[in-house]
mmCIF file of all heavy atoms in Angstrom:
data_model
loop_
_atom_site.group_PDB
_atom_site.id
_atom_site.type_symbol
_atom_site.label_atom_id
_atom_site.label_comp_id
_atom_site.label_asym_id
_atom_site.label_seq_id
_atom_site.Cartn_x
_atom_site.Cartn_y
_atom_site.Cartn_z
ATOM 1 N N PHE A 47 8.868 20.995 -9.170
ATOM 2 C CA PHE A 47 8.888 21.789 -7.936
ATOM 3 C C PHE A 47 9.278 20.900 -6.765
ATOM 4 O O PHE A 47 8.994 19.708 -6.760
ATOM 5 C CB PHE A 47 7.502 22.380 -7.637
ATOM 6 C CG PHE A 47 6.958 23.275 -8.703
ATOM 7 C CD1 PHE A 47 5.961 22.817 -9.562
ATOM 8 C CD2 PHE A 47 7.413 24.566 -8.846
ATOM 9 C CE1 PHE A 47 5.443 23.641 -10.552
ATOM 10 C CE2 PHE A 47 6.908 25.399 -9.837
ATOM 11 C CZ PHE A 47 5.922 24.934 -10.694
ATOM 12 N N VAL A 48 9.907 21.549 -5.765
ATOM 13 C CA VAL A 48 10.233 20.867 -4.521
ATOM 14 C C VAL A 48 9.819 21.764 -3.369
ATOM 15 O O VAL A 48 10.079 22.972 -3.383
ATOM 16 C CB VAL A 48 11.743 20.565 -4.393
ATOM 17 C CG1 VAL A 48 12.026 19.807 -3.094
ATOM 18 C CG2 VAL A 48 12.254 19.784 -5.586
ATOM 19 N N TYR A 49 9.189 21.149 -2.383
ATOM 20 C CA TYR A 49 8.857 21.850 -1.149
ATOM 21 C C TYR A 49 9.529 21.134 0.017
ATOM 22 O O TYR A 49 9.499 19.901 0.111
ATOM 23 C CB TYR A 49 7.344 21.871 -0.916
ATOM 24 C CG TYR A 49 6.649 22.975 -1.655
ATOM 25 C CD1 TYR A 49 6.301 22.814 -3.000
ATOM 26 C CD2 TYR A 49 6.348 24.176 -1.036
ATOM 27 C CE1 TYR A 49 5.669 23.831 -3.690
ATOM 28 C CE2 TYR A 49 5.711 25.207 -1.710
ATOM 29 C CZ TYR A 49 5.378 25.023 -3.046
ATOM 30 O OH TYR A 49 4.756 26.028 -3.729
ATOM 31 N N SER A 50 10.142 21.911 0.874
ATOM 32 C CA SER A 50 10.728 21.385 2.094
ATOM 33 C C SER A 50 10.100 22.125 3.269
ATOM 34 O O SER A 50 10.204 23.351 3.351
ATOM 35 C CB SER A 50 12.249 21.585 2.096
ATOM 36 O OG SER A 50 12.798 21.150 3.314
ATOM 37 N N LEU A 51 9.441 21.377 4.134
ATOM 38 C CA LEU A 51 8.744 21.986 5.275
ATOM 39 C C LEU A 51 7.870 23.156 4.819
ATOM 40 O O LEU A 51 7.913 24.250 5.388
ATOM 41 C CB LEU A 51 9.765 22.445 6.316
ATOM 42 C CG LEU A 51 10.570 21.303 6.962
ATOM 43 C CD1 LEU A 51 11.701 21.859 7.809
ATOM 44 C CD2 LEU A 51 9.655 20.422 7.799
ATOM 45 N N GLU A 52 7.115 22.889 3.775
ATOM 46 C CA GLU A 52 6.116 23.818 3.226
ATOM 47 C C GLU A 52 6.714 25.031 2.532
ATOM 48 O O GLU A 52 5.978 25.926 2.097
ATOM 49 C CB GLU A 52 5.150 24.270 4.325
ATOM 50 C CG GLU A 52 4.427 23.114 5.005
ATOM 51 C CD GLU A 52 4.148 23.392 6.472
ATOM 52 O OE1 GLU A 52 3.648 24.484 6.767
ATOM 53 O OE2 GLU A 52 4.427 22.521 7.322
ATOM 54 N N GLU A 53 8.024 25.071 2.380
ATOM 55 C CA GLU A 53 8.643 26.185 1.681
ATOM 56 C C GLU A 53 9.164 25.697 0.334
ATOM 57 O O GLU A 53 9.846 24.664 0.268
ATOM 58 C CB GLU A 53 9.790 26.747 2.512
ATOM 59 C CG GLU A 53 10.518 27.910 1.857
ATOM 60 C CD GLU A 53 11.635 28.439 2.731
ATOM 61 O OE1 GLU A 53 11.610 28.200 3.951
ATOM 62 O OE2 GLU A 53 12.560 29.066 2.183
ATOM 63 N N ARG A 54 8.877 26.434 -0.720
ATOM 64 C CA ARG A 54 9.354 26.031 -2.030
ATOM 65 C C ARG A 54 10.859 26.236 -2.113
ATOM 66 O O ARG A 54 11.366 27.333 -1.868
ATOM 67 C CB ARG A 54 8.672 26.835 -3.133
ATOM 68 C CG ARG A 54 8.947 26.248 -4.514
ATOM 69 C CD ARG A 54 8.485 27.138 -5.636
ATOM 70 N NE ARG A 54 7.118 27.575 -5.532
ATOM 71 C CZ ARG A 54 6.521 28.327 -6.457
ATOM 72 N NH1 ARG A 54 7.185 28.706 -7.523
ATOM 73 N NH2 ARG A 54 5.278 28.717 -6.303
ATOM 74 N N VAL A 55 11.579 25.200 -2.483
ATOM 75 C CA VAL A 55 13.035 25.289 -2.552
ATOM 76 C C VAL A 55 13.573 25.079 -3.957
ATOM 77 O O VAL A 55 14.736 25.333 -4.224
ATOM 78 C CB VAL A 55 13.700 24.278 -1.587
ATOM 79 C CG1 VAL A 55 13.406 24.658 -0.143
ATOM 80 C CG2 VAL A 55 13.249 22.860 -1.859
ATOM 81 N N GLU A 56 12.747 24.553 -4.857
ATOM 82 C CA GLU A 56 13.176 24.375 -6.237
ATOM 83 C C GLU A 56 12.025 24.748 -7.160
ATOM 84 O O GLU A 56 10.875 24.392 -6.888
ATOM 85 C CB GLU A 56 13.558 22.904 -6.521
ATOM 86 C CG GLU A 56 14.826 22.438 -5.870
ATOM 87 C CD GLU A 56 16.061 22.698 -6.704
ATOM 88 O OE1 GLU A 56 15.929 23.002 -7.887
ATOM 89 O OE2 GLU A 56 17.165 22.595 -6.132
#
Side-chain angles (χ1 to χ4, degrees):
Chain A
F47 301 104
V48 182
Y49 277 83
S50 176
L51 295 171
E52 302 147 48
E53 179 179 339
R54 191 190 308 183
V55 293
E56 289 272 346

